[in-house]
Amino acid sequence: MCRLLGYATAGFNLSLNAILGTENVEAYREMSEIHNDGWGCSMLYEPIETPGTLDGGAPAPETGTKLYKTTVAARLDPVFPELASEAARGGLWHLRLASSNLPLILENQQPFFTNGLSFIHNGDISDSHGRNITTNDQYPVSNSVFLSTGGRSDSAIFFAVILEYLGFGYDLDEALAQAVRELRQAYPRSSYNCMIQSQDQFIALNAAGRERTSSRIVEIYDEYGQGEKAQDYRVMRYRALTDENGSPAGIVVASSGFEQSEADGWKELGNDQMIVASNRTGEWSIRSI
């Protein structure tokens, strides 16, 4: 049960502050008063070394990934504003509210990262009796693929299912769609809102199993005197980015929780829709799953 934020540019570096403005970045950060079970981000950067350079280890990559995650709430972590001002070609940002009493351990912090892919998820994958998928020893996911995610949570299982479909030869967006279709057979009411990033693509999916916010989420927000902010909890919105000449330059997508007005260009992403964007050209499109 988390807050998601991600962006892709037309191949150039922009900081989170540049994309959202410092006031909105601070508003996003302050959501960690409630989503206080840690945070993380994954940013694409261009390595200083020439790609392919042999320096005694692995060859220098063409695109690097800077990964940071911690069990400290974002509003209490002095690293957050430093990374928010650091420019990147694309990035994922995640504020965690642990689901179904899953443990507050670093392994369960997101983004998960493996094979050049970063993944973040907002949802609690449980059945109608509240039993989380992590308790289902019979769920057919490869143990080796699951271990490769580095996590132990329902979100890690979701990521592992996506990785399996990638292994079957599906493109990234279709692998994500296939994973949701499979998981929904056993967990139809769960939320699969998520974002995934490769060195070429950024994908954001809105796939909530229910339109209304669960009573538990409303109760949690009410405890902080912010119950009204829970009403659009499952909503995801997007805004096209433009460069200094007004030309298309990418896209930013976010969960609700900070100001996202239509006047500023924000639009709601429909349920069971995903945005598929290039973090090299900035081109993007919307497709259904």
Side-chain angles (χ1 to χ4, degrees):
M1 298 186 288
C2 310
R3 299 289 79 185
L4 313 178
L5 177 60
Y7 67 91
T9 74
F12 50 82
N13 295 331
L14 285 176
S15 70
L16 189 63
N17 286 335
I19 287 173
L20 292 184
T22 55
E23 288 187 8
N24 278 334
V25 170
E26 189 59 25
Y28 176 77
R29 183 186 185 190
E30 281 303 308
M31 285 193 287
S32 65
E33 179 183 12
I34 298 174
H35 296 267
N36 54 26
D37 291 326
W39 77 280
C41 67
S42 175
M43 300 187 294
L44 300 178
Y45 72 98
E46 308 305 321
I48 297 174
E49 303 88 351
T50 302
T53 299
L54 298 175
D55 55 5
E62 184 268 339
T63 297
T65 301
K66 179 172 288 187
L67 183 68
Y68 179 85
K69 49 187 178 179
T70 177
T71 58
V72 177
R75 65 198 295 263
L76 303 176
D77 189 351
V79 176
F80 187 98
E82 293 181 18
L83 292 177
S85 63
E86 189 166 319
R89 195 177 79 218
L92 303 182
W93 296 70
H94 182 267
L95 305 178
R96 185 181 183 216
L97 179 62
S99 60
S100 296
N101 298 311
L102 294 176
L104 186 60
I105 56 176
L106 192 59
E107 292 94 322
N108 283 342
Q109 297 304 318
Q110 300 176 43
F112 296 122
F113 179 80
T114 188
N115 297 329
L117 296 172
S118 304
F119 177 75
I120 56 178
H121 169 228
N122 169 33
D124 181 338
I125 304 178
S126 298
D127 63 19
S128 59
H129 300 286
R131 294 174 298 210
N132 192 269
I133 192 174
T134 55
T135 67
N136 184 354
D137 295 333
Q138 304 304 312
Y139 196 83
V141 62
S142 165
N143 188 56
S144 62
V145 175
F146 175 58
L147 290 174
S148 75
T149 69
R152 307 181 191 176
S153 66
D154 48 0
S155 298
I157 293 175
F158 183 11
F159 189 25
V161 177
I162 298 169
L163 293 173
E164 286 189 319
Y165 279 102
L166 284 172
F168 298 152
Y170 289 93
D171 291 336
L172 186 57
D173 58 331
E174 186 57 26
L176 175 53
Q178 290 286 348
V180 173
R181 294 178 192 127
E182 176 186 318
L183 287 161
R184 275 182 167 168
Q185 293 181 29
Y187 301 93
R189 300 294 301 280
S190 295
S191 170
Y192 301 99
N193 289 12
C194 66
M195 297 180 183
I196 192 166
Q197 173 182 264
S198 71
Q199 65 179 18
D200 300 307
Q201 283 188 305
F202 161 69
I203 298 175
L205 170 66
N206 180 9
R210 63 186 81 185
E211 295 290 338
R212 293 186 60 185
T213 305
S214 69
S215 59
R216 178 56 184 151
I217 293 295
V218 174
E219 289 171 4
I220 292 172
Y221 271 68
D222 276 338
E223 290 174 7
Y224 290 88
Q226 300 182 42
E228 74 285 352
K229 292 185 178 181
Q231 299 310 311
D232 63 349
Y233 182 78
R234 300 295 183 193
V235 171
M236 294 176 68
R237 298 184 179 91
Y238 64 94
R239 178 170 60 82
L241 303 178
T242 56
D243 62 19
E244 63 272 14
N245 300 315
S247 300
I251 194 164
V252 57
V253 188
S255 301
S256 61
F258 63 93
E259 184 64 30
Q260 299 163 355
S261 69
E262 290 186 20
D264 290 331
W266 288 94
K267 298 180 181 180
E268 187 170 325
L269 182 63
N271 199 25
D272 288 342
Q273 289 190 325
M274 68 168 73
I275 288 173
V276 182
S278 166
N279 55 44
R280 295 187 182 276
T281 68
E283 296 177 344
W284 56 273
S285 61
I286 297 177
R287 58 156 289 190
S288 299
I289 63 169

